[in-house]
Amino acid sequence: MQRYGYAKAVGDVGLCTMCIEHGCWLVDVCMDCGQRLRWDRPSVDVSHCSHIVKAPALHATPCASHIAFQLELDDRFAHVDCVGAPL
């Protein structure tokens, strides 16, 4: 989100749990105070509690099966049919 200023549509899918580009897990809470992140926050990288949205300090790297699954999700969300509607 910090690099592009937006979140990918695939991130709205409950099965999506990691970022392929960065090889890290997605977060849904503030790492500073634990408050749940909301879509209507003040900025894409600032939560309602005014903390910067960031990855946890210590986290396990996703395994090969998680990466393969996420690649499949990303691929399915990236394709569109000939009239521009998502498949």
Side-chain angles (χ1 to χ4, degrees):
M1 286 189 317
Q2 291 173 345
R3 177 180 289 173
Y4 301 108
Y6 65 87
K8 292 181 179 179
V10 70
D12 283 342
V13 178
L15 297 173
C16 178
T17 58
M18 65 169 293
C19 174
I20 289 297
E21 182 175 344
H22 299 100
C24 64
W25 299 107
L26 299 178
V27 297
D28 59 359
V29 297
C30 173
M31 292 295 110
D32 291 317
C33 69
Q35 191 175 97
R36 291 196 61 83
L37 297 178
R38 298 178 1 205
W39 282 110
D40 64 337
R41 58 188 174 265
S43 175
V44 69
D45 60 349
V46 177
S47 66
H48 278 83
C49 58
S50 299
H51 294 121
I52 301 295
V53 176
K54 57 189 172 191
L58 298 173
H59 61 279
T61 303
C63 67
S65 60
H66 282 111
I67 293 169
F69 181 73
Q70 188 61 51
L71 283 169
E72 179 67 22
L73 282 177
D74 282 13
D75 185 56
R76 288 178 183 256
F77 271 77
H79 287 86
V80 294
D81 67 14
C82 61
V83 293
L87 293 174

